Amino acid sequence: MSENVLKKLAGNVKDYMKFETEKPITWCTGCGNFGIQNALKRALALEGIVQKDVLFCFDVGCSGNGADKIEGYTLHGLHGRVISLAAGAALANSDIKVISFGGDGATFSEGPGHLIHAVRSNYPVIFVHHNNENFGLTTGQPSASTRKGVRMNAAPDGVFLEPINTMDFVLSLKPSFVARGFSGDIDYLTEIFRKALRHDGFAYLEVLQTCPTYNRDTPEHWYAERIKHIEDAKNYDSSDIWQARKLMQDIENEIYTGVIFEDKSKVNFLRAIPNRKNAKTVLKDEVKKYSISEFL
Ligand code: SF4
């Protein structure tokens, strides 16, 4: 770990190291997934969140292969279905933080329905969208977010369809928290993760992730030249959804990162259910317990 990182983590290094694992790395050299997990581990340590208080839910894909690269309670779900799995866990046990991860292929090609209802329901879940703009695990097919004209192994002449503007799509659903980061901007991404961890409701965090192996048209420097921080946008008000949607239209020239939109007045799903308004217990404690020893 570099001296700078150590300084920033200061008294939290031990907590950070507990999330580290000895398991073999299967990501390609230069993959943006390294930066994303590094920022997440730093944010958890800085927020004082320890292993027993967090559940990591992974979708299928290169992002999903992060399941064995972080030490803690982890689940690996079906392709495009991780958000519903995470929502179930979060509703059953609201004493823990539930963080879920999925790629653009899983989220916007395979299972967008789950995303729509999670945003609408405002489940107490953080969803990290690893947007590397292709299906990386299956060797480079275009996804719903691949930019027009980009050449992929499965589209050697360039993609001819327009991509979905994923940020604008989520903003159109009246979310409570939408943020965007870049896998090569780890310090800033750490701070975005910290804000998402403090949000009470569904936090959509999209990370523009480099995939040097299959998405060669948008390498690290392509993003680095375009990435801006939201604090530098003039007169920007992150509670104004129309301002947010307008800013997100540009996906080619000035790509803003940071907390793009937040509605602090929205109540999370568990607290919005009328008959649970005065509940003092967590759902997992209300389930009758049965002994299964005779079946074991
Ligand atoms: Fe990362 Fe792309 Fe390699 Fe997958 S294929 S591990 S996203 S660089």
Side-chain angles (χ1 to χ4, degrees):
M1 222 188 297
S2 78
E3 213 169 294
N4 264 352
V5 176
L6 282 171
K7 219 184 269 170
K8 198 145 203 208
L9 284 167
N12 308 88
V13 173
K14 257 195 202 155
D15 291 341
Y16 174 95
M17 291 310 288
K18 281 194 183 141
F19 289 112
E20 291 283 65
T21 166
E22 298 291 306
K23 305 226 175 75
I25 297 297
T26 49
W27 290 323
C28 313
T29 304
C31 175
N33 277 315
F34 290 102
I36 299 175
Q37 270 214 354
N38 192 308
L40 170 67
K41 290 172 188 173
R42 285 195 211 177
L44 288 165
L46 289 166
E47 289 299 303
I49 298 172
V50 294
Q51 277 172 322
K52 71 171 180 51
D53 296 328
V54 60
L55 171 72
F56 305 108
C57 301
F58 290 86
D59 209 294
V60 170
C62 289
S63 59
N65 286 351
D68 58 6
K69 295 167 185 66
I70 191 161
E71 226 25 276
Y73 296 117
T74 54
L75 288 172
H76 210 150
L78 294 175
H79 202 199
R81 310 287 178 261
V82 75
I83 294 177
S84 31
L85 194 72
L91 298 184
N93 187 359
S94 50
D95 286 342
I96 55 164
K97 272 274 165 215
V98 178
I99 308 174
S100 53
F101 310 85
D104 44 299
T107 313
F108 285 90
S109 294
E110 306 291 333
H114 301 286
L115 174 68
I116 290 171
H117 293 287
V119 175
R120 180 174 162 259
S121 306
N122 204 24
Y123 295 134
V125 166
I126 296 171
F127 176 63
V128 184
H129 173 209
H130 293 236
N131 192 0
N132 64 7
E133 302 183 1
N134 80 105
F135 286 87
L137 192 67
T138 45
T139 69
Q141 292 80 32
S143 75
S145 70
T146 311
R147 286 158 207 272
K148 194 173 178 185
V150 162
R151 290 160 293 141
M152 286 279 139
N153 281 355
D157 297 327
V159 175
F160 63 89
L161 293 173
E162 290 288 345
I164 289 178
N165 183 324
T166 50
M167 292 292 282
D168 190 40
F169 178 85
V170 176
L171 285 165
S172 76
L173 302 171
K174 296 191 183 151
S176 63
F177 183 100
V178 176
R180 180 162 65 187
F182 167 49
S183 60
D185 192 1
I186 300 175
D187 283 350
Y188 192 65
L189 184 56
T190 303
E191 293 310 311
I192 303 172
F193 265 120
R194 294 182 72 182
K195 287 175 187 155
L197 285 165
R198 287 182 219 144
H199 180 69
D200 184 19
F202 189 77
Y204 174 86
L205 166 50
E206 173 161 323
V207 188
L208 299 167
Q209 184 210 313
T210 48
C211 171
T213 305
Y214 295 117
N215 199 335
R216 294 176 288 266
D217 283 15
T218 53
E220 182 96 5
H221 68 83
W222 188 94
Y223 283 109
E225 285 157 12
R226 290 163 174 80
I227 292 293
K228 307 248 177 266
H229 293 167
I230 199 67
E231 291 75 14
D232 298 328
K234 255 196 180 160
N235 301 324
Y236 189 73
D237 174 5
S238 62
S239 67
D240 182 342
I241 195 120
W242 293 109
Q243 218 183 335
R245 290 189 71 177
K246 198 168 168 210
L247 199 71
M248 292 301 102
Q249 297 312 310
D250 185 357
I251 57 167
E252 289 294 334
N253 303 302
E254 294 195 317
I255 303 177
Y256 276 92
T257 55
V259 176
I260 304 299
F261 177 74
E262 189 167 17
D263 177 356
K264 290 184 178 154
S265 69
K266 255 195 154 181
V267 177
N268 92 38
F269 183 85
L270 261 180
R271 287 193 289 111
I273 301 171
N275 64 4
R276 289 202 63 82
K277 275 214 166 110
N278 301 317
K280 301 260 181 297
T281 45
V282 172
L283 280 176
K284 72 169 173 54
D285 300 326
E286 296 163 22
V287 178
K288 195 170 171 200
K289 293 193 170 66
Y290 295 92
S291 167
I292 56 163
S293 54
E294 69 177 286
F295 304 113
L296 298 175

